[in-house]
Amino acid sequence: QKHRLTFVEQLIELKDDFHTRIELSSSFAVLLDEKQKLIDEKYKDLEESVALLNRNRLKILPKIKAEVEQILKKLGMPYAQFDIEISESKQFHINGNTAVLLKFSANTGSEMQELSKVASGGELSRLMLAVKYITAKSSQVNILIFDEIDSGVSGEIASLMGDMMSDISNSNQLIAISHLPQIASRSKTHLKVIKNVCKDETIS
């Protein structure tokens, strides 16, 4: 009656449950120590994995830097310099324990600075295309969508970008949103998007 049970078997189960709880309470310090050892082992594995990841990143950086600068030269930026700085921290996140800083200089004699502070719209467009061109070779993603990646460029540079995008499309499905004929002329299929106002509504 005290435990609101009906059968003796239920009382025995309750007794066993109490017994398990008492044992768990008395051995809590031991369990805690075991869990801490397990955490320490996992943390060591994490540190070793991150160290390997960072070594591989540092090994490939010079090649990426050289390839990006070479592509930028083809896109009308003969003096462009590009660099990737990686700094480690004690905090872990989904991509390891590093912070990445992109540095850039478009002109000879200019010191490289943080990309977001010094690159113009046209320079960013070309740099983005250079990076996408390189990553498309090894990426498992087989569809790329460029939303006005040609922003800020025109004329011969746009034509060179069109050639590069055409080259990417040989191995990847490439969908490009563009206003430039130099880019559009390189594609195999065109979809024209227009807006109309119909009964006070804008319809695309």
Side-chain angles (χ1 to χ4, degrees), residues 118-137:
V118 295
S120 68
E123 289 164 351
L124 280 173
S125 294
R126 284 178 271 182
L127 188 56
M128 177 63 75
L129 181 58
V131 171
K132 290 294 183 183
Y133 183 80
I134 292 166
T135 55
K137 297 175 187 175

PDB file of all heavy atoms in Angstrom, residues 118-137:
ATOM      1  N   VAL A 118      39.985  45.829 -48.689  1.00  0.00           N
ATOM      2  CA  VAL A 118      40.713  46.470 -49.794  1.00  0.00           C
ATOM      3  C   VAL A 118      40.214  46.107 -51.192  1.00  0.00           C
ATOM      4  O   VAL A 118      40.503  46.822 -52.152  1.00  0.00           O
ATOM      5  CB  VAL A 118      42.236  46.153 -49.707  1.00  0.00           C
ATOM      6  CG1 VAL A 118      42.821  46.765 -48.464  1.00  0.00           C
ATOM      7  CG2 VAL A 118      42.486  44.648 -49.747  1.00  0.00           C
ATOM      8  N   ALA A 119      39.471  45.006 -51.338  1.00  0.00           N
ATOM      9  CA  ALA A 119      39.069  44.560 -52.675  1.00  0.00           C
ATOM     10  C   ALA A 119      37.804  45.273 -53.148  1.00  0.00           C
ATOM     11  O   ALA A 119      36.845  45.419 -52.392  1.00  0.00           O
ATOM     12  CB  ALA A 119      38.848  43.048 -52.688  1.00  0.00           C
ATOM     13  N   SER A 120      37.819  45.717 -54.402  1.00  0.00           N
ATOM     14  CA  SER A 120      36.627  46.327 -55.003  1.00  0.00           C
ATOM     15  C   SER A 120      35.660  45.228 -55.437  1.00  0.00           C
ATOM     16  O   SER A 120      35.986  44.037 -55.394  1.00  0.00           O
ATOM     17  CB  SER A 120      37.036  47.167 -56.214  1.00  0.00           C
ATOM     18  OG  SER A 120      37.512  46.316 -57.251  1.00  0.00           O
ATOM     19  N   GLY A 121      34.475  45.636 -55.915  1.00  0.00           N
ATOM     20  CA  GLY A 121      33.481  44.661 -56.363  1.00  0.00           C
ATOM     21  C   GLY A 121      33.988  43.800 -57.504  1.00  0.00           C
ATOM     22  O   GLY A 121      33.825  42.575 -57.502  1.00  0.00           O
ATOM     23  N   GLY A 122      34.634  44.437 -58.500  1.00  0.00           N
ATOM     24  CA  GLY A 122      35.159  43.685 -59.639  1.00  0.00           C
ATOM     25  C   GLY A 122      36.288  42.750 -59.240  1.00  0.00           C
ATOM     26  O   GLY A 122      36.390  41.629 -59.742  1.00  0.00           O
ATOM     27  N   GLU A 123      37.128  43.197 -58.309  1.00  0.00           N
ATOM     28  CA  GLU A 123      38.228  42.350 -57.837  1.00  0.00           C
ATOM     29  C   GLU A 123      37.700  41.154 -57.068  1.00  0.00           C
ATOM     30  O   GLU A 123      38.193  40.030 -57.233  1.00  0.00           O
ATOM     31  CB  GLU A 123      39.168  43.188 -56.961  1.00  0.00           C
ATOM     32  CG  GLU A 123      39.980  44.203 -57.755  1.00  0.00           C
ATOM     33  CD  GLU A 123      40.620  45.277 -56.901  1.00  0.00           C
ATOM     34  OE1 GLU A 123      40.312  45.360 -55.690  1.00  0.00           O
ATOM     35  OE2 GLU A 123      41.430  46.052 -57.445  1.00  0.00           O
ATOM     36  N   LEU A 124      36.674  41.389 -56.247  1.00  0.00           N
ATOM     37  CA  LEU A 124      36.060  40.277 -55.506  1.00  0.00           C
ATOM     38  C   LEU A 124      35.438  39.253 -56.447  1.00  0.00           C
ATOM     39  O   LEU A 124      35.534  38.048 -56.223  1.00  0.00           O
ATOM     40  CB  LEU A 124      34.989  40.815 -54.547  1.00  0.00           C
ATOM     41  CG  LEU A 124      35.475  41.406 -53.228  1.00  0.00           C
ATOM     42  CD1 LEU A 124      34.321  42.047 -52.475  1.00  0.00           C
ATOM     43  CD2 LEU A 124      36.132  40.346 -52.363  1.00  0.00           C
ATOM     44  N   SER A 125      34.800  39.743 -57.514  1.00  0.00           N
ATOM     45  CA  SER A 125      34.176  38.842 -58.486  1.00  0.00           C
ATOM     46  C   SER A 125      35.217  37.936 -59.121  1.00  0.00           C
ATOM     47  O   SER A 125      35.035  36.722 -59.240  1.00  0.00           O
ATOM     48  CB  SER A 125      33.467  39.645 -59.578  1.00  0.00           C
ATOM     49  OG  SER A 125      32.372  40.351 -59.044  1.00  0.00           O
ATOM     50  N   ARG A 126      36.332  38.521 -59.531  1.00  0.00           N
ATOM     51  CA  ARG A 126      37.391  37.733 -60.170  1.00  0.00           C
ATOM     52  C   ARG A 126      38.050  36.768 -59.197  1.00  0.00           C
ATOM     53  O   ARG A 126      38.367  35.633 -59.544  1.00  0.00           O
ATOM     54  CB  ARG A 126      38.426  38.673 -60.797  1.00  0.00           C
ATOM     55  CG  ARG A 126      37.922  39.301 -62.096  1.00  0.00           C
ATOM     56  CD  ARG A 126      38.904  40.263 -62.696  1.00  0.00           C
ATOM     57  NE  ARG A 126      38.702  41.621 -62.175  1.00  0.00           N
ATOM     58  CZ  ARG A 126      39.401  42.675 -62.556  1.00  0.00           C
ATOM     59  NH1 ARG A 126      40.382  42.524 -63.453  1.00  0.00           N
ATOM     60  NH2 ARG A 126      39.165  43.870 -62.053  1.00  0.00           N
ATOM     61  N   LEU A 127      38.222  37.228 -57.977  1.00  0.00           N
ATOM     62  CA  LEU A 127      38.823  36.363 -56.966  1.00  0.00           C
ATOM     63  C   LEU A 127      37.911  35.185 -56.647  1.00  0.00           C
ATOM     64  O   LEU A 127      38.366  34.039 -56.528  1.00  0.00           O
ATOM     65  CB  LEU A 127      39.101  37.178 -55.703  1.00  0.00           C
ATOM     66  CG  LEU A 127      39.904  36.507 -54.598  1.00  0.00           C
ATOM     67  CD1 LEU A 127      41.249  36.003 -55.115  1.00  0.00           C
ATOM     68  CD2 LEU A 127      40.122  37.461 -53.447  1.00  0.00           C
ATOM     69  N   MET A 128      36.613  35.463 -56.537  1.00  0.00           N
ATOM     70  CA  MET A 128      35.642  34.397 -56.275  1.00  0.00           C
ATOM     71  C   MET A 128      35.649  33.363 -57.401  1.00  0.00           C
ATOM     72  O   MET A 128      35.631  32.154 -57.156  1.00  0.00           O
ATOM     73  CB  MET A 128      34.244  34.991 -56.119  1.00  0.00           C
ATOM     74  CG  MET A 128      33.143  33.950 -55.920  1.00  0.00           C
ATOM     75  SD  MET A 128      33.344  32.998 -54.419  1.00  0.00           S
ATOM     76  CE  MET A 128      32.828  34.191 -53.203  1.00  0.00           C
ATOM     77  N   LEU A 129      35.697  33.845 -58.639  1.00  0.00           N
ATOM     78  CA  LEU A 129      35.722  32.924 -59.773  1.00  0.00           C
ATOM     79  C   LEU A 129      36.996  32.084 -59.753  1.00  0.00           C
ATOM     80  O   LEU A 129      36.958  30.880 -60.033  1.00  0.00           O
ATOM     81  CB  LEU A 129      35.622  33.691 -61.095  1.00  0.00           C
ATOM     82  CG  LEU A 129      35.613  32.826 -62.356  1.00  0.00           C
ATOM     83  CD1 LEU A 129      34.448  31.829 -62.343  1.00  0.00           C
ATOM     84  CD2 LEU A 129      35.533  33.691 -63.614  1.00  0.00           C
ATOM     85  N   ALA A 130      38.120  32.705 -59.403  1.00  0.00           N
ATOM     86  CA  ALA A 130      39.388  31.971 -59.328  1.00  0.00           C
ATOM     87  C   ALA A 130      39.298  30.845 -58.302  1.00  0.00           C
ATOM     88  O   ALA A 130      39.714  29.701 -58.571  1.00  0.00           O
ATOM     89  CB  ALA A 130      40.526  32.927 -58.968  1.00  0.00           C
ATOM     90  N   VAL A 131      38.753  31.151 -57.133  1.00  0.00           N
ATOM     91  CA  VAL A 131      38.620  30.144 -56.075  1.00  0.00           C
ATOM     92  C   VAL A 131      37.669  29.034 -56.506  1.00  0.00           C
ATOM     93  O   VAL A 131      37.945  27.840 -56.330  1.00  0.00           O
ATOM     94  CB  VAL A 131      38.144  30.803 -54.759  1.00  0.00           C
ATOM     95  CG1 VAL A 131      37.792  29.744 -53.717  1.00  0.00           C
ATOM     96  CG2 VAL A 131      39.213  31.740 -54.212  1.00  0.00           C
ATOM     97  N   LYS A 132      36.531  29.423 -57.102  1.00  0.00           N
ATOM     98  CA  LYS A 132      35.562  28.421 -57.566  1.00  0.00           C
ATOM     99  C   LYS A 132      36.145  27.549 -58.675  1.00  0.00           C
ATOM    100  O   LYS A 132      35.868  26.358 -58.761  1.00  0.00           O
ATOM    101  CB  LYS A 132      34.280  29.112 -58.064  1.00  0.00           C
ATOM    102  CG  LYS A 132      33.449  29.733 -56.968  1.00  0.00           C
ATOM    103  CD  LYS A 132      32.877  28.682 -56.051  1.00  0.00           C
ATOM    104  CE  LYS A 132      31.988  29.286 -54.981  1.00  0.00           C
ATOM    105  NZ  LYS A 132      31.497  28.254 -54.048  1.00  0.00           N
ATOM    106  N   TYR A 133      36.945  28.151 -59.528  1.00  0.00           N
ATOM    107  CA  TYR A 133      37.582  27.416 -60.631  1.00  0.00           C
ATOM    108  C   TYR A 133      38.499  26.324 -60.075  1.00  0.00           C
ATOM    109  O   TYR A 133      38.514  25.196 -60.565  1.00  0.00           O
ATOM    110  CB  TYR A 133      38.373  28.389 -61.499  1.00  0.00           C
ATOM    111  CG  TYR A 133      39.027  27.758 -62.709  1.00  0.00           C
ATOM    112  CD1 TYR A 133      38.286  27.492 -63.852  1.00  0.00           C
ATOM    113  CD2 TYR A 133      40.378  27.444 -62.710  1.00  0.00           C
ATOM    114  CE1 TYR A 133      38.878  26.917 -64.962  1.00  0.00           C
ATOM    115  CE2 TYR A 133      40.984  26.862 -63.825  1.00  0.00           C
ATOM    116  CZ  TYR A 133      40.230  26.609 -64.943  1.00  0.00           C
ATOM    117  OH  TYR A 133      40.813  26.029 -66.042  1.00  0.00           O
ATOM    118  N   ILE A 134      39.246  26.672 -59.019  1.00  0.00           N
ATOM    119  CA  ILE A 134      40.169  25.710 -58.412  1.00  0.00           C
ATOM    120  C   ILE A 134      39.408  24.614 -57.669  1.00  0.00           C
ATOM    121  O   ILE A 134      39.685  23.423 -57.825  1.00  0.00           O
ATOM    122  CB  ILE A 134      41.139  26.437 -57.447  1.00  0.00           C
ATOM    123  CG1 ILE A 134      42.077  27.350 -58.235  1.00  0.00           C
ATOM    124  CG2 ILE A 134      41.957  25.439 -56.633  1.00  0.00           C
ATOM    125  CD1 ILE A 134      42.834  28.344 -57.386  1.00  0.00           C
ATOM    126  N   THR A 135      38.415  25.013 -56.864  1.00  0.00           N
ATOM    127  CA  THR A 135      37.701  24.026 -56.045  1.00  0.00           C
ATOM    128  C   THR A 135      36.811  23.119 -56.885  1.00  0.00           C
ATOM    129  O   THR A 135      36.541  21.979 -56.493  1.00  0.00           O
ATOM    130  CB  THR A 135      36.846  24.721 -54.964  1.00  0.00           C
ATOM    131  OG1 THR A 135      35.959  25.655 -55.595  1.00  0.00           O
ATOM    132  CG2 THR A 135      37.720  25.452 -53.973  1.00  0.00           C
ATOM    133  N   ALA A 136      36.363  23.605 -58.042  1.00  0.00           N
ATOM    134  CA  ALA A 136      35.486  22.786 -58.898  1.00  0.00           C
ATOM    135  C   ALA A 136      36.196  21.525 -59.382  1.00  0.00           C
ATOM    136  O   ALA A 136      35.562  20.506 -59.651  1.00  0.00           O
ATOM    137  CB  ALA A 136      35.014  23.601 -60.096  1.00  0.00           C
ATOM    138  N   LYS A 137      37.521  21.580 -59.464  1.00  0.00           N
ATOM    139  CA  LYS A 137      38.286  20.421 -59.940  1.00  0.00           C
ATOM    140  C   LYS A 137      38.222  19.253 -58.963  1.00  0.00           C
ATOM    141  O   LYS A 137      38.247  18.095 -59.367  1.00  0.00           O
ATOM    142  CB  LYS A 137      39.757  20.815 -60.146  1.00  0.00           C
ATOM    143  CG  LYS A 137      39.986  21.884 -61.204  1.00  0.00           C
ATOM    144  CD  LYS A 137      41.452  22.271 -61.240  1.00  0.00           C
ATOM    145  CE  LYS A 137      41.712  23.449 -62.148  1.00  0.00           C
ATOM    146  NZ  LYS A 137      43.128  23.901 -62.095  1.00  0.00           N
TER     147      LYS A 137
END
